[in-house]
């Protein structure tokens, strides 16, 4: 069964479907850009990139089972006009992995700590999928710190009842993530796109490579914790309290939102339902595009973001 949380299998299990490369630890992954580290929440080493300059700083928050390179097509362009900081959330990529009390609020606190330590002004949070729900949570908890929001195929607009939430907890297990085959990894990744671009293959390669990493089991554990965090702390009822100017972008052909087995229907229905609850939200739907919107249609996404930030 495929769900919004299949991105866990898609990105996490599809990281390397076909590559024989191996890494000793996930910190060995080559992102192709300079990686910095900042200690947050007392003792967590948070990996991040910091490029460009501008009056506004965009902090990019990846989705479930994803990592910093998911934003490479966006930061490469947007850094010409904005400061662009992309992070690996705790438990992911090159950041520390530990037995944290993971929740949406935990992630929001991590983002806030980064912003405080780097003394960021005019902060714009850009969140994809789970990262979108993290961004919403941060905007609610830190309204004076977070200036604007960019939500890309965000989790949180689709609602689930008690039984459906338990289904997610039961289906997503650390062993299930860990034992996903290379073939299924590739299938899961492709499911995130309407038409998977050839230059997304590196994600599959990385995903396969990390199966040999010393911290791979910790990573698998954090996938399950991310799912639990999303279903345990839904944000739909609180959307009217998000006052920040918000840009929301969905792919019209998203295979993960809505969950076809639990809810079903058109993505646009859920996108409009969530966006309409936010007082200052502009919704954009991109045709012939799946869940991984910012990578599949980067030119359109970058243009929407630039217009949103420069036009206000």
């Amino acid at each position: 069964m495929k769900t919004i949380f299949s991105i866990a299998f898609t990105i996490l299990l599809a990281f390397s479907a076909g590559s024989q490369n191996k890494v000793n630890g996930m910190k060995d992954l080559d992102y192709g850009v300079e990686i910095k580290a900042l200690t947050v929440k007392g003792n967590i080493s948070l990996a991040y990139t910091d490029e460009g300059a501008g009056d506004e700083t965009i902090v990019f928050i990846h989705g479930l089972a994803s990592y910093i390179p998911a934003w490479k097509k966006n930061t490469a362009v947007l850094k010409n006009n904005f400061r662009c900081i992309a992070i690996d959330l705790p438990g992911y990529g090159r950041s520390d992995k530990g037995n944290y009390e993971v929740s949406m609020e935990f992630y929001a606190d991590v983002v806030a700590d980064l912003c405080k330590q780097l003394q960021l002004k005019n902060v714009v949070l850009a969140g994809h999928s789970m990262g979108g729900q993290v961004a919403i949570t941060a905007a609610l908890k830190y309204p004076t710190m977070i200036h604007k929001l960019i939500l890309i195929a965000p989790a949180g607009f689709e609602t689930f009842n008690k039984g459906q939430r338990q289904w997610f907890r039961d289906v997503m297990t650390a062993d299930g993530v860990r034992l996903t085959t290379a073939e299924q990894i590739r299938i899961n990744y492709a499911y995130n796109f309407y038409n998977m671009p050839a230059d997304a293959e590196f994600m599959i390669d990385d995903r396969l490579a990390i199966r040999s990493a010393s911290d791979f089991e910790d990573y698998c554990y954090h996938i399950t914790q991310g799912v639990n965090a999303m279903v345990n702390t839904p944000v739909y009822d609180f959307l009217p309290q998000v006052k920040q100017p918000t840009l929301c972008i969905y792919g019209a052909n998203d295979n993960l939102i809505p969950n076809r087995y639990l809810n079903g229907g058109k993505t646009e229905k859920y996108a409009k339902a969530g966006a309409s609850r936010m007082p200052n939200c502009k919704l954009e739907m991109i045709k012939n595009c799946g869940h991984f919107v910012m990578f599949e249609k980067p030119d359109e996404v970058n243009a929407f973001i630039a217009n949103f930030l420069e036009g206000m």
Side-chain angles (χ1 to χ4, degrees), residues 99-136:
N99 188 24
Y100 315 128
E101 293 186 13
V102 176
S103 65
M104 289 292 104
E105 189 168 307
F106 166 77
Y107 291 140
D109 290 345
V110 166
V111 172
D113 197 354
L114 171 98
C115 293
K116 290 175 183 176
Q117 291 195 52
L118 296 182
Q119 299 182 349
L120 303 181
K121 306 296 183 183
N122 297 325
V123 175
V124 180
L125 295 187
H128 174 235
S129 196
M130 181 183 79
Q133 190 167 337
V134 172
I136 293 169

Side-chain angles (χ1 to χ4, degrees), residues 22-240:
K22 296 182 179 180
V23 295
N24 293 323
M26 291 181 65
K27 290 186 179 181
D28 294 337
L29 288 171
D30 182 6
Y31 288 180
V33 293
E34 179 187 0
I35 303 299
K36 300 182 178 182
L38 184 71
T39 300
V40 297
K41 298 283 287 184
N43 61 356
I44 301 172
S45 178
L46 189 79
Y48 71 99
T49 59
D50 191 346
E51 303 177 277
D55 293 335
E56 293 181 296
T57 298
I58 309 175
V59 178
F60 296 87
I61 309 168
H62 62 73
L64 186 70
S66 193
Y67 60 166
I68 287 171
W71 299 102
K72 63 190 296 184
K73 292 184 178 180
N74 313 108
T75 56
V77 173
L78 295 171
K79 69 181 182 181
N80 294 323
N81 295 296
F82 310 97
R83 184 177 179 183
C84 294
I85 296 175
I87 68 171
D88 277 338
L89 289 169
Y92 297 89
R94 294 177 56 160
S95 288
D96 278 355
K97 301 161 187 67
N99 188 24
Y100 315 128
E101 293 186 13
V102 176
S103 65
M104 289 292 104
E105 189 168 307
F106 166 77
Y107 291 140
D109 290 345
V110 166
V111 172
D113 197 354
L114 171 98
C115 293
K116 290 175 183 176
Q117 291 195 52
L118 296 182
Q119 299 182 349
L120 303 181
K121 306 296 183 183
N122 297 325
V123 175
V124 180
L125 295 187
H128 174 235
S129 196
M130 181 183 79
Q133 190 167 337
V134 172
I136 293 169
T137 304
L140 288 166
K141 186 171 183 179
Y142 301 99
T144 60
M145 176 185 293
I146 308 307
H147 188 48
K148 299 172 186 174
L149 291 179
I150 298 167
L151 306 176
I152 300 182
F157 282 14
E158 182 181 8
T159 61
F160 303 100
N161 62 37
K162 183 178 180 180
Q164 291 172 330
R165 293 195 297 271
Q166 186 58 48
W167 179 85
F168 283 120
R169 300 184 190 101
D170 293 340
V171 166
M172 187 63 72
T173 66
D175 281 344
V177 173
R178 180 175 59 84
L179 298 174
T180 303
T181 66
E183 179 182 5
Q184 189 60 49
I185 285 169
R186 181 171 291 280
I187 292 171
N188 289 336
Y189 254 108
Y191 203 73
N192 275 262
F193 298 90
Y194 176 74
N195 184 17
M196 184 173 175
D199 58 3
E201 288 289 328
F202 77 90
M203 299 182 192
I204 297 176
D205 291 338
D206 283 349
R207 172 57 182 86
L208 289 177
I210 65 171
R211 293 186 297 179
S212 65
S214 60
D215 51 352
F216 178 60
E217 289 192 15
D218 293 332
Y219 173 70
C220 296
Y221 164 78
H222 275 281
I223 302 307
T224 67
Q225 295 307 296
V227 171
N228 289 339
M230 281 187 279
V231 300
N232 289 343
T233 51
V235 294
Y236 187 82
D237 289 343
F238 302 100
L239 293 178

Side-chain angles (χ1 to χ4, degrees), residues 4-16:
I4 178 176
F5 307 119
S6 291
I7 191 174
F9 291 107
T10 293
I11 283 183
L12 129 70
L13 309 178
F15 253 34
S16 313

